[in-house]
Amino acid sequence: MPELPDLQVFRSNLQKRFVGKTLQTFTIHNPKKLNTSEEKCKQALEGQWLKSVKRHGKELFFEFNNKEVIGIHLMLKGQFVELPHHHTTNLILELYFDGGKGLAITDSMSLTRITLNPPSPQAPDALDLEFNIKYLLNALRKNTQVPVKSFLMDQKIVRGIGNAYVDEILWEAKISPFSHCDQIPESAARELHRHIRQVLKNGETQIKISHPDIIAGEIRDFMKIHHPDKTHSPTGADILIQKLNKRKTYYTKEQVNYITEQSSTVAQNAQRTGKKSKGITTANKQSILDDLPF
């Protein structure tokens, strides 16, 4: 699934290609993925020109000159495809603009969500000024015994971070993904906050360097830890893999595990018996989307 850095690059390229163009036709191929009727979307959008493409979290927002907005969440397998295209399957949506250019969304799993005039996001984006150290510290303290990886991937707390980038962020901050949020000291939390922005911005830069025109896909070759072909971190530590809430998690023993004494004992017993520690590797389930790897 594309994460914040991928979508930053998609947004920039889509804006270059389509902003200022008038939408000629809006065609939905899977009405269940739309929050309203196709007819209402046609009335609201056709004949209007695209004013901007914005991003918040893992969603892109296409804003038209009449202030109508289409929000798109690609979920796990959704992809943008520039039209015309000789072979397009699993269509969800087609947008044709003047000049014969268009944009389609395909999704082999049909999970993509399309929303006319979506509500304003309630949680801050990971790159927002509102996501400051004070906000992070307060949120960490409120999430007692929740693994920090699950915390950072909770889109109700901070938007845009997914399974791949959270592993990179936590390795850079030298915090174990299994650490309990409320046990992380302020000094480590400050390092975490610094590396969130640093890792996400670096990811965007790396994608622009290697794939400057991309509007689909996930570029992960440059990642230091979350990479199936790498066995050691840049500093020589073994890369370990374990499931956390059914998500494959990459980490090393270089990362400090901030957990309660009781949980530490449970973890040690689990390692001796070869069983996973439920106390470390699971968080309170928030929704049915918790088990999806994003």
Side-chain angles (χ1 to χ4, degrees):
M1 160 179 218
E3 296 184 35
L4 188 154
D6 305 295
L7 290 164
Q8 282 280 89
V9 180
F10 297 173
R11 183 211 66 80
S12 177
N13 289 328
L14 291 169
Q15 178 138 319
K16 290 175 186 176
R17 296 176 199 183
F18 296 105
V19 163
K21 295 186 179 296
T22 300
L23 182 66
Q24 300 294 328
T25 60
F26 177 101
T27 305
I28 188 76
H29 292 269
N30 189 336
K32 293 181 180 179
K33 301 292 104 182
L34 187 60
N35 71 323
T36 186
S37 68
E38 180 180 29
E39 186 58 33
K40 187 172 181 179
C41 289
K42 285 179 173 291
Q43 292 175 359
L45 303 173
E46 289 183 351
Q48 307 297 322
W49 54 271
L50 185 62
K51 182 179 178 181
S52 67
V53 181
K54 299 178 180 178
R55 182 202 59 79
H56 197 283
K58 300 177 187 178
E59 293 181 86
L60 291 185
F61 300 94
F62 292 71
E63 182 182 3
F64 290 82
N65 65 294
N66 61 351
K67 299 185 178 180
E68 302 282 353
V69 177
I70 282 288
I72 297 173
H73 194 312
L74 295 173
M75 299 298 285
L76 291 175
K77 296 292 185 180
Q79 294 194 59
F80 292 111
V81 178
E82 193 167 4
L83 300 172
H85 192 276
H86 69 280
H87 183 66
T88 305
T89 59
N90 302 309
L91 277 167
I92 301 293
L93 175 69
E94 285 182 292
L95 304 173
Y96 269 101
F97 295 86
D98 56 347
K101 294 290 184 179
L103 182 68
I105 298 172
T106 66
D107 188 346
S108 60
M109 296 181 70
S110 295
L111 293 174
T112 294
R113 297 198 305 255
I114 301 165
T115 310
L116 179 64
N117 297 321
S120 298
Q122 297 302 302
D125 182 82
L127 297 181
D128 281 351
L129 293 177
E130 290 83 359
F131 184 64
N132 52 36
I133 186 61
K134 181 179 179 181
Y135 177 93
L136 177 60
L137 287 170
N138 287 338
L140 285 169
R141 298 297 170 260
K142 291 176 181 177
N143 283 270
T144 305
Q145 294 194 336
V146 174
V148 66
K149 176 170 180 174
S150 300
F151 167 87
L152 290 172
M153 292 176 63
D154 188 339
Q155 304 301 297
K156 294 178 182 178
I157 296 173
V158 56
R159 290 166 54 87
I161 304 173
N163 194 46
Y165 279 93
V166 73
D167 287 348
E168 297 290 298
I169 290 166
L170 290 170
W171 182 80
E172 292 284 2
K174 294 300 178 279
I175 298 173
S176 167
F178 311 110
S179 295
H180 292 166
C181 291
D182 58 323
Q183 297 299 310
I184 297 173
E186 182 174 337
S187 58
R190 289 184 179 276
E191 280 295 290
L192 175 61
H193 184 265
R194 182 170 69 88
H195 284 294
I196 288 172
R197 186 174 187 87
Q198 185 180 81
V199 168
L200 294 175
K201 293 300 290 183
N202 180 65
E204 179 185 353
T205 298
Q206 293 297 326
I207 295 168
K208 285 181 177 178
I209 291 171
S210 60
H211 296 75
D213 300 320
I214 194 171
I215 61 170
E218 302 171 13
I219 309 304
R220 304 284 187 262
D221 294 345
F222 57 86
M223 289 194 163
K224 299 175 182 178
I225 295 296
H226 193 100
H227 197 296
D229 297 329
K230 293 183 177 179
T231 58
H232 293 82
S233 73
T235 46
D238 290 339
I239 295 176
L240 307 174
I241 303 173
Q242 188 173 334
K243 289 289 184 71
L244 175 58
N245 286 349
K246 299 185 179 180
R247 300 177 178 95
K248 189 176 288 188
T249 297
Y250 295 72
Y251 66 103
T252 76
K253 290 185 178 179
E254 301 164 299
Q255 296 164 248
V256 180
N257 200 2
Y258 299 102
I259 56 177
T260 61
E261 184 176 345
Q262 179 182 3
S263 296
S264 179
T265 302
V266 173
Q268 292 171 2
N269 292 337
Q271 288 178 350
R272 285 196 295 269
T273 60
K275 296 178 181 179
K276 292 181 183 178
S277 166
K278 195 171 184 180
I280 325 183
T281 58
T282 61
N284 293 330
K285 191 166 183 177
Q286 301 293 324
S287 74
I288 60 171
L289 297 180
D290 271 2
D291 289 342
L292 295 179
F294 60 85

